[in-house]
């Protein structure tokens, strides 16, 4: 006591932080810190991580809770206030739309410049750029020439040029989805990969299905030396997921810059009018059509209802994967957790609201933060956190220096922090009720400001900022 007082006198008045998080179990994959600490935040950054007592103008009692870096989602299609709110309740502090992306990067960021609930960012998307160049009338996905017409050499040149412009405007990276653009020739895809290689930008690709689809993407990356990120390996791989993870592992061992991601659900969801659905199910036998579920009614589709809903349009649930394959994907040390959040017109896939809580609640082997190591089918809690924080930050940081300040708990890092109860955290959303928020995510802090407190969304706050690559000279 006396020594403490003397020390305080010697150092002057102890600092009062904007906000302090006291007594939480701090888990930081970058530093491997895995112990009880107090954290002080000032000016949107982490100012101190300490065992000493500290004070702040605002105090969060984190005793019994895990304090982790805020989760970073590389694959979040919903980019609206409604979906940012969902993501925040699932512990996400940065949500990036990197697969579909946009055709107009400057406009995309301008629309959000007043601030959002969480941090946001976008890629320059080959699908969207191709829709613009081919004058496709689709709203979200190509439905006409953007999907089904081969581009002329001049159009391929224009596509590449627009991709480069998007990067100059600060796009986080490049997005592509080969099954959505089936008429894109190898020449066209090579042109897009060359843009990625020239600018050292990762290209996030929704590959064609299975091992063959992965080999195609790896060959394009190999030929051009583009950094490659394979999105949702679980839904691209299905039963071939283990073989595909081995291929990625081998490519990495051979020195290729290849990464991948997964979401923890055995059904996918996409627009019924998109080429990915129409190309497969238009001529499929009835038992294949029954893989499709119509979310508003929960009905499995048949030929008649498939045709009917294809005319009206809307999201459809696709039941094609198995839980063992999802578990293989989620527990692999190679995968980043990314939601592929999908939400439109008030409905969507439960992964929009539950991905991160679901991994923490259902795929972590030892749900208390003890260093007991792997067990059963699950991953260690520290490894699960790494897949949601450090790994996605590191994927982006060569192109986006701002990401070096995210995904870690260290002095000077952005105060993006997720605080959860490791014993209780669990998703609740389902295909019938996709908007239900998870339980156990207690506090979510974005740039030093709470957007979730006591498990509830804080209303009227917009501390989220643009995540954007530095503009090339
Ligand atoms: Zn996709």
């Amino acid at each position: 006591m006396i020594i403490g007082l003397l020390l305080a006198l010697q150092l002057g008045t102890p600092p009062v932080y904007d906000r302090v998080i006291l007594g939480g179990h701090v888990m930081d994959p970058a530093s491997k810190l895995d112990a009880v600490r107090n954290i002080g935040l000032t000016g949107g950054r982490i100012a101190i991580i300490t065992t000493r007592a500290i004070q702040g103008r605002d105090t969060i009692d984190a005793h019994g809770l895990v304090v982790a870096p805020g989760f970073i989602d590389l694959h979040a299609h919903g980019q609206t206030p409604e979906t940012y709110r969902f993501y925040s309740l699932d512990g996400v502090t940065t949500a990036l739309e990197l697969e579909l992306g946009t055709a107009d990067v400057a406009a995309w960021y301008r629309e959000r410049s007043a601030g959002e609930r969480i941090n946001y960012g976008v890629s320059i998307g080959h699908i969207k750029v191709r829709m613009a160049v081919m004058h496709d009338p689709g709203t979200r996905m190509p439905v006409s020439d953007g999907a089904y017409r081969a581009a002329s050499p001049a159009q391929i040149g224009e596509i590449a040029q627009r991709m480069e412009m998007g990067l100059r405007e600060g796009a986080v990276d490049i997005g592509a989805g080969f099954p959505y653009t089936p008429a894109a020739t190898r020449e066209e895809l090579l042109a897009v990969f060359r843009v990625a290689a020239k600018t050292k930008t990762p290209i996030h690709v929704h590959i064609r299905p299975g091992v063959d689809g992965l080999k195609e993407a790896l060959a394009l990356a190999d030929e051009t030396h583009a950094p490659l990120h394979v999105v949702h390996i679980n839904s691209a791989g299905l039963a071939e997921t283990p073989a595909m993870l081995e291929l990625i592992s081998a490519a990495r061992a051979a020195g290729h810059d290849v990464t991948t991601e997964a979401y923890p659900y055995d059904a996918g969801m996409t627009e019924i009018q998109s080429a990915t659905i129409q190309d497969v199910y238009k001529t499929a036998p009835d038992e294949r059509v029954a893989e499709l579920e119509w979310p508003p009614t929960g009905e499995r589709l048949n030929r008649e209802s498939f045709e009917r809903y294809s005319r009206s349009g809307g999201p459809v649930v696709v039941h094609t994967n198995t839980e063992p394959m999802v578990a293989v994907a989620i527990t692999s040390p190679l995968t980043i957790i990314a939601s592929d959040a999908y939400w439109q017109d008030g409905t969507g896939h439960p992964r929009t609201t539950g991905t991160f809580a679901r991994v923490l609640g259902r795929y972590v082997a030892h749900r208390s933060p003890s260093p007991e190591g792997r067990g059963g089918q699950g991953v260690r809690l520290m490894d699960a956190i790494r897949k949601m924080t450090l790994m996605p930050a590191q994927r982006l940081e060569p192109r986006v220096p701002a990401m070096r300040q995210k995904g870690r708990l260290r002095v000077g890092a952005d105060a993006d922090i997720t605080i959860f109860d490791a014993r209780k955290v669990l998703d609740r959303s389902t295909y019938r009720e996709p908007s239900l928020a998870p339980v156990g995510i207690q506090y979510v802090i974005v740039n030093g400001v709470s957007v979730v407190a006591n498990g509830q969304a804080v209303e009227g706050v917009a501390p989220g900022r643009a995540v954007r690559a530095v503009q090339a000279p």
Side-chain angles (χ1 to χ4, degrees):
M1 186 67 194
I2 290 168
I3 292 172
L5 274 176
L6 285 175
L7 205 61
L9 284 172
Q10 200 179 345
L11 297 173
T13 322
V16 177
Y17 299 98
D18 290 350
R19 171 161 293 135
V20 291
I21 303 161
L22 301 183
H25 190 116
V26 176
M27 298 187 72
D28 176 51
S31 64
K32 301 193 172 65
L33 178 61
D34 186 358
V36 172
R37 292 284 186 276
N38 300 320
I39 297 183
L41 313 179
T42 291
R45 293 183 182 267
I46 296 174
I48 189 169
I49 302 174
T50 180
T51 53
R52 286 188 293 112
I54 53 173
Q55 343 168 9
R57 278 180 283 280
D58 181 81
T59 299
I60 291 174
D61 178 3
H63 287 89
L65 303 175
V66 169
V67 180
F71 306 152
I72 299 165
D73 189 351
L74 298 184
H75 196 146
H77 293 304
Q79 293 282 330
T80 64
E82 181 186 26
T83 53
Y84 292 141
R85 190 173 186 281
F86 287 151
Y87 305 156
S88 69
L89 287 163
D90 196 25
V92 173
T93 54
T94 301
L96 307 170
E97 157 59 285
L98 301 184
E99 180 209 49
L100 264 179
T102 180
D104 189 340
V105 172
W108 193 94
Y109 281 106
R110 213 179 304 122
E111 284 161 18
R112 292 163 181 78
S113 57
E116 298 291 348
R117 168 174 284 271
I118 60 174
N119 304 308
Y120 53 89
V122 75
S123 66
I124 178 74
H126 172 247
I127 298 170
K128 296 285 194 185
V129 166
R130 192 173 208 278
M131 286 173 74
V133 171
M134 305 300 285
H135 305 290
D136 191 282
T139 47
R140 296 178 176 90
M141 307 273 196
V143 293
S144 173
D145 285 1
Y148 300 111
R149 189 185 176 121
S152 69
Q155 286 168 325
I156 292 176
E158 191 185 343
I159 289 170
Q161 246 175 35
R162 287 197 190 207
M163 312 285 308
E164 290 190 29
M165 188 172 86
L167 293 175
R168 281 197 301 273
E169 290 173 345
V172 170
D173 56 28
I174 293 173
F178 302 167
Y180 294 105
T181 56
T185 59
R186 191 160 199 278
E187 267 327 290
E188 179 178 336
L189 299 180
L190 275 173
V192 175
F193 271 64
R194 281 193 202 102
V195 173
K198 194 166 86 178
T199 55
K200 296 188 167 53
T201 302
I203 177 163
H204 289 223
V205 182
H206 178 148
I207 60 173
R208 279 183 255 269
V211 165
D212 290 346
L214 177 58
K215 284 185 174 163
E216 176 192 27
L218 287 172
L220 289 163
D222 193 27
E223 191 168 330
T224 55
H225 303 289
L228 173 66
H229 179 81
V230 178
V231 303
H232 48 56
I233 189 94
N234 50 303
S235 61
L238 304 179
E240 295 178 45
T241 299
M244 289 164 69
L245 286 166
E246 272 173 37
L247 274 175
I248 290 173
S249 186
R252 288 172 62 85
H256 296 279
D257 183 2
V258 187
T259 54
T260 191
E261 62 175 53
Y263 63 78
Y265 294 85
D266 61 9
M269 185 181 254
T270 195
E271 167 61 49
I272 193 169
Q273 293 175 329
S274 71
T276 49
I277 296 295
Q278 294 297 321
D279 288 359
V280 174
Y281 292 99
K282 210 170 182 149
T283 55
D286 287 357
E287 61 271 22
R288 279 296 308 270
V289 178
E291 291 172 356
L292 301 176
E293 177 184 334
W294 193 246
T297 59
E299 72 189 286
R300 293 300 182 113
L301 299 191
N302 55 37
R303 177 64 37 211
E304 180 277 322
S305 53
F306 176 77
E307 300 296 344
R308 184 156 40 87
Y309 291 131
S310 292
R311 283 192 294 276
S312 60
V316 67
V317 180
V318 191
H319 291 275
T320 44
N321 210 353
T322 63
E323 181 49 36
M325 288 304 111
V326 174
V328 164
I330 296 298
T331 58
S332 162
L334 289 175
T335 53
I336 291 167
I337 303 302
S339 70
D340 194 11
Y342 182 87
W343 197 264
Q344 62 184 58
D345 305 327
T347 190
H349 193 291
R351 68 195 184 217
T352 307
T353 52
T355 289
F356 293 85
R358 187 175 176 89
V359 170
L360 294 171
R362 299 180 199 264
Y363 294 89
V364 170
H366 299 282
R367 290 181 55 191
S368 60
S370 59
E372 293 163 77
R374 263 168 220 285
Q377 289 289 302
V379 297
R380 290 191 317 145
L381 182 55
M382 185 68 97
D383 291 332
I385 293 171
R386 176 182 293 110
K387 288 164 165 283
M388 303 171 177
T389 59
L390 185 63
M391 283 172 68
Q394 288 177 329
R395 186 34 161 160
L396 301 182
E397 65 194 35
R399 176 166 163 79
V400 187
M403 294 306 292
R404 291 185 199 132
Q405 305 307 328
K406 297 195 181 297
R408 299 88 171 150
L409 296 177
R410 63 145 191 261
V411 172
D414 294 342
D416 294 345
I417 300 173
T418 294
I419 303 172
F420 60 93
D421 187 332
R423 294 155 303 178
K424 290 193 186 142
V425 62
L426 199 64
D427 61 301
R428 290 192 306 147
S429 54
T430 63
Y431 296 102
R432 297 305 305 278
E433 289 190 279
S435 66
L436 291 178
V439 290
I441 309 261
Q442 294 303 108
Y443 296 89
V444 179
I445 297 168
V446 175
N447 296 310
V449 176
S450 289
V451 298
V452 172
N454 296 309
Q456 305 293 318
V458 178
E459 304 303 337
V461 289
R465 289 200 285 260
V467 170
R468 203 164 173 164
V470 282
Q471 303 197 356

